[in-house]
């Protein structure tokens, strides 16, 4: 059992309904930062896209693009602060 749970989830109750779970890679440096950043980035991306043009038939593409966007955000954050360097070890 770890002292710090590095997983992060979002369960929204507004449209578009989002259920996002990010595994924090328990024990890895700043895994909690990476999982939270990734989940929040996916949520932000999806909400911005759906506010502009919500179309359920585009959901798979929006989610795929959201994950790509979140990956870039996590990577950028890792490059900005030495303490976060370990968060992109497995990206």
């Amino acid at each position: 059992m770890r002292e710090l749970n590095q997983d992060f989830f979002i369960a929204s109750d507004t449209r578009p309904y989002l259920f996002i779970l990010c595994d924090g890679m328990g024990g890895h440096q700043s895994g909690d930062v990476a999982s939270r950043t990734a989940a929040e980035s996916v949520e932000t991306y999806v909400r911005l896209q759906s506010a502009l043009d919500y179309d359920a038939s585009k959901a798979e593409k929006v989610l795929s693009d959201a994950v790509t966007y979140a990956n870039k955000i996590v990577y950028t954050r890792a490059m900005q602060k030495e303490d976060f360097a370990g968060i992109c070890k497995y990206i």
Side-chain angles (χ1 to χ4, degrees), residues 31-90:
D32 55 328
V33 174
S35 62
R36 181 183 198 105
T37 301
E40 290 174 347
S41 297
V42 167
E43 179 183 33
T44 297
Y45 187 93
V46 171
R47 292 205 181 282
L48 287 172
Q49 292 301 313
S50 48
L52 297 173
D53 179 26
Y54 185 75
D55 182 349
S57 67
K58 297 178 186 175
E60 185 176 348
K61 173 79 168 114
V62 169
L63 287 174
S64 175
D65 290 348
V67 170
T68 299
Y69 170 77
N71 187 56
K72 289 177 184 175
I73 297 298
V74 170
Y75 182 81
T76 299
R77 190 163 188 187
M79 297 298 108
Q80 291 173 340
K81 189 170 179 186
E82 190 175 319
D83 291 351
F84 297 155
I87 68 177
C88 60
K89 184 174 183 178
Y90 296 98

Side-chain angles (χ1 to χ4, degrees), residues 4-8 22-33 35-36:
L4 175 65
N5 181 355
Q6 294 186 337
D7 301 340
F8 190 81
C22 292
D23 185 340
M25 298 293 293
H28 287 52
Q29 181 177 348
S30 301
D32 55 328
V33 174
S35 62
R36 181 183 198 105

